[in-house]
């Protein structure tokens, strides 16, 4: 059996690689990312440890920006879907590459703004925004993606009489499905997100002449981890019809936001389209649909998240206990698990793993990589062909840059890992490791219970 691990080969489109584009085997035979041996980082910063490759993130940003310029004849902007991985460092990094950012909470908004992301390049998403979140977006000059009538009702109370109108983008469900996981399919009609298609015209009519609102954009999104291209052509036609209707009703709509969803390569059998191929289909389809309807080209927005950051990230663990269930399974336990990567237990997501200091070692057995949590379903990789290894070795799980940090938890009161950003053989700490005592920050012990301790 051969270990299914390979170094990245597509330096232009990181989403098509299993490993970050700077991944290499160093002179000592160790796996290095950004010029840093991962086992050295484990020794320096401890494990579990999130490692992000700056070069991979920058290349993905540039791939989107340059592809939009190449394949769409009108103005464009790629917006980072920060729910994938939100930090001040990532906000600053994507801002420096000319991208915008979408947030779905006050926390993500503040993180991005403090990281230097210009408010005029940001949007606020969410299907149940609070009054405080909407007020923060309005005060900051961030465009609000109105998901429902509740958003509009709250916004109307926020804008003072005679005040600057709130910049609005209306989200609607286009009724287009992609073959992806049910939990992350958000574009079909049975969805908690967006106005139903038959609601769009009444909403646009109700907003005619509203002094408190300026409808500047339309938004639709058809899913996540998508490998198909045809649904995006269908989406372009639906959105162009909506654009024509909005402009006909007098709204100054200049932005058409097609969402994100481009997939990445988690395992060797995955074969996602390149960033360029995805943008080419989207850009050409939107331009053609608008031209067929004699519509002035809008600014084309897209919202990549996973494809920007997932391939850039790896998680480093230390192998601990080993358990052999004769004739059934061999378990290798690591010092993390579902608290730092909930995707396997939540979505049955698959990953690729290797040993940090023996990345090309041949597989000698089949193992299941288990986490340390008190949960039988806490399994990171199941029935994986893997080299024989011992307690204390460093294990690396690839493509963990998206939805690992952002979905992490303190289950079993386990602290969250640190994150380092690597570039040019240097590692910088961008998120500190939580300590067990940090988990007591918000606990209060009532006085009547203090006598029992």
């Amino acid at each position: 059996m051969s270990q299914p691990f390979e170094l990245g080969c597509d330096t232009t489109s990181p989403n098509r690689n299993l490993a970050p584009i700077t991944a290499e085997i160093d002179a000592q035979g160790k796996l290095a990312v950004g010029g840093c041996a991962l086992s050295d980082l484990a020794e320096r910063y401890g494990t579990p440890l999130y490692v992000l490759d700056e070069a991979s993130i920058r290349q993905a940003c540039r791939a989107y920006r340059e592809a939009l310029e190449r394949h769409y004849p009108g103005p464009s902007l790629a917006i980072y879907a920060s729910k994938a991985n939100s930090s001040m460092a990532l906000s600053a990094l994507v801002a420096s590459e000319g991208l915008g950012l979408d947030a779905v909470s006050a926390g993500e908004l503040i993180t991005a703004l403090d990281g230097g992301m210009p408010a005029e390049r940001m949007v606020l998403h969410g299907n149940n925004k609070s009054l405080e979140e909407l007020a923060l977006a309005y005060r900051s000059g961030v465009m609000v993606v109105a998901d429902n009538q509740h958003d509009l009702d709250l916004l109307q109370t926020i804008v003072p009489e005679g005040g600057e109108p709130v910049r609005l983008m209306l989200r609607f469900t286009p009724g287009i499905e992609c073959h992806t996981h049910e939990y992350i399919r958000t574009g079909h009609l049975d969805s908690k997100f967006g106005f139903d298609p038959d609601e769009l015209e009444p909403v646009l009519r109700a907003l005619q002449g509203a002094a408190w609102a300026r409808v500047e954009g339309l938004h639709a999104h058809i899913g996540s981890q998508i490998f198909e291209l045809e649904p995006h052509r269908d989406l372009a036609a639906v959105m162009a019809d909506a654009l024509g209707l909005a402009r006909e009703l007098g709204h100054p709509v200049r932005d058409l936001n097609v969402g994100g969803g481009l997939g990445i390569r988690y395992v060797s059998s995955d074969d996602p389209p390149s960033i360029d191929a995805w943008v080419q289909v989207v850009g050409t389809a939107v331009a053609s649909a608008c031209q067929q309807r004699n519509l002035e080209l809008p600014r084309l927005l897209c919202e990549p998240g996973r494809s920007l950051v997932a391939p850039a990230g790896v998680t480093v663990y230390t192998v601990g206990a080993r358990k052999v269930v004769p004739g059934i399974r061999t378990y290798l336990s690591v010092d993390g698990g579902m608290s730092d990567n909930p995707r396997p237990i939540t979505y049955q997501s698959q990953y690729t793993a290797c040993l940090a200091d023996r990345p090309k070692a041949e597989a000698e057995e089949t193992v299941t990589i288990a986490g340390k949590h008190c949960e039988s379903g806490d399994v990171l990789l199941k029935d994986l062909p893997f080299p024989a290894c011992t307690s204390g070795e460093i294990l690396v799980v690839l493509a963990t840059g998206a939805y690992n940090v952002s979905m992490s938890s303190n289950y079993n009161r386990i602290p969250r890992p640190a994150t380092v950003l690597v570039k040019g053989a240097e590692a910088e700490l961008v998120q500190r490791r939580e300590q067990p005592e940090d988990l007591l920050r918000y606990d209060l012990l009532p006085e009547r219970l203090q006598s029992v301790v």
Side-chain angles (χ1 to χ4, degrees):
M1 294 183 292
S2 297
Q3 169 66 8
F5 170 73
E6 57 192 74
L7 297 179
C9 57
D10 191 337
T11 57
T12 62
S13 192
N15 71 305
R16 290 180 52 77
N17 298 323
L18 286 175
I21 61 174
T22 64
E24 61 181 353
I25 309 298
D26 69 12
Q28 286 74 46
K30 299 178 179 181
L31 179 60
V33 173
C36 300
L38 295 176
S39 58
D40 292 349
L41 294 178
E43 183 176 358
R44 178 179 174 186
Y45 294 102
T47 58
L49 178 67
Y50 297 122
V51 180
L52 288 173
D53 178 40
E54 183 172 334
S56 292
I57 299 169
R58 289 194 181 277
Q59 175 54 38
C61 291
R62 292 167 187 168
Y64 272 103
R65 190 183 67 237
E66 293 169 3
L68 283 165
E69 293 171 355
R70 191 162 47 245
H71 298 303
Y72 185 67
S76 61
L77 178 66
I79 297 175
Y80 171 50
S82 70
K83 67 176 183 174
N85 194 335
S86 176
S87 70
M88 290 196 298
L90 275 175
S91 300
L93 200 160
V94 298
S96 72
E97 289 293 339
L99 271 65
L101 182 142
D102 91 53
V104 296
S105 69
E108 288 183 359
L109 270 177
I110 292 169
T111 299
L113 290 168
D114 285 2
M117 176 62 67
E120 62 270 19
R121 300 209 307 254
M122 292 174 61
V123 298
L124 175 66
H125 276 290
N127 67 298
N128 191 29
K129 306 176 192 70
S130 69
L131 185 67
E132 292 75 19
E133 287 168 334
L134 290 168
L136 174 61
Y138 176 68
R139 291 195 307 270
S140 303
V142 171
M143 177 180 281
V144 173
V145 182
D147 214 81
N148 46 51
Q149 187 61 44
H150 182 66
D151 279 350
L152 299 179
D153 292 343
L154 290 179
L155 283 167
Q156 195 167 0
T157 69
I158 290 170
V159 181
E161 186 174 350
E164 184 71 18
V166 63
R167 297 167 55 227
L168 278 183
M169 181 177 287
L170 300 181
R171 178 171 182 170
F172 68 99
T173 52
I176 296 169
E177 294 192 25
C178 289
H179 298 123
T180 185
H181 196 286
E182 182 66 30
Y183 295 156
I184 52 177
R185 192 164 57 198
T186 57
H188 53 303
L189 293 177
D190 184 9
S191 171
K192 72 173 186 176
F193 298 103
F195 291 97
D196 286 339
D198 58 1
E199 292 180 307
L200 188 59
E201 182 173 351
V203 169
L204 287 168
R205 290 189 181 278
L207 290 170
Q208 283 178 308
W212 62 271
R214 184 169 63 244
V215 181
E216 296 184 1
L218 298 170
H219 177 282
H221 175 66
I222 59 175
S224 186
Q225 187 59 3
I226 299 170
F227 287 5
E228 303 165 82
L229 293 175
E230 188 59 36
H232 296 286
R233 296 187 177 94
D234 299 335
L235 177 63
V238 172
M239 295 202 74
D241 285 340
L243 175 64
L245 172 64
R247 287 181 176 172
E248 186 179 309
L249 294 175
H251 295 290
V253 175
R254 68 159 187 159
D255 290 339
L256 211 59
N257 189 332
V258 297
L262 175 61
I264 73 153
R265 195 176 186 204
Y266 282 109
V267 295
S268 58
S269 59
D270 287 339
D271 187 24
S274 68
I275 292 171
D276 186 79
W278 187 87
V279 172
Q280 182 177 18
V281 167
V282 171
T284 302
V286 169
S288 176
C290 289
Q291 289 161 0
Q292 289 171 10
R293 293 161 178 76
N294 295 316
L295 296 172
E296 180 183 347
L297 288 181
R299 183 172 68 159
L300 176 60
L301 276 58
C302 64
E303 294 173 337
R306 182 195 316 267
S307 56
L308 274 186
V309 294
V314 303
T315 306
V316 182
Y317 300 97
T318 300
V319 175
R322 175 188 180 92
K323 177 182 179 180
V324 179
V325 184
I328 299 179
R329 184 164 287 117
T330 296
Y331 289 94
L332 284 181
S333 293
V334 295
D335 56 349
M338 61 184 288
S339 64
D340 59 75
N341 185 359
R343 295 190 66 252
I345 196 172
T346 305
Y347 302 125
Q348 296 75 54
S349 302
Q350 295 184 312
Y351 285 89
T352 298
C354 67
L355 292 171
D357 288 349
R358 296 189 288 132
K360 288 293 189 178
E362 290 290 314
E364 301 170 89
E365 59 181 352
T366 298
V367 301
T368 289
I369 309 298
K372 66 175 291 177
H373 301 81
C374 190
E375 193 76 40
S376 59
D378 180 24
V379 169
L380 293 175
L381 298 100
K382 189 174 182 180
D383 297 333
L384 175 73
F386 209 64
C389 65
T390 58
S391 177
E393 289 198 70
I394 303 301
L395 183 145
V396 180
V397 178
L398 305 174
T400 60
Y403 303 110
N404 289 43
V405 174
S406 58
M407 295 178 70
S408 63
S409 74
N410 292 126
Y411 184 52
N412 291 154
R413 288 237 152 171
I414 292 177
R416 289 178 175 86
T419 301
V420 295
L421 187 67
V422 294
K423 178 187 178 184
E426 296 291 333
E428 292 182 272
L429 193 66
V430 294
Q431 286 177 314
R432 296 186 185 94
R433 181 179 304 281
E434 284 183 338
Q435 300 301 319
E437 53 268 26
D438 292 333
L439 306 183
L440 301 178
R441 284 178 301 173
Y442 302 112
D443 277 21
L444 297 173
L445 185 61
E447 186 174 348
R448 63 184 176 80
L449 297 178
Q450 292 179 14
S451 60
V452 302
V453 296

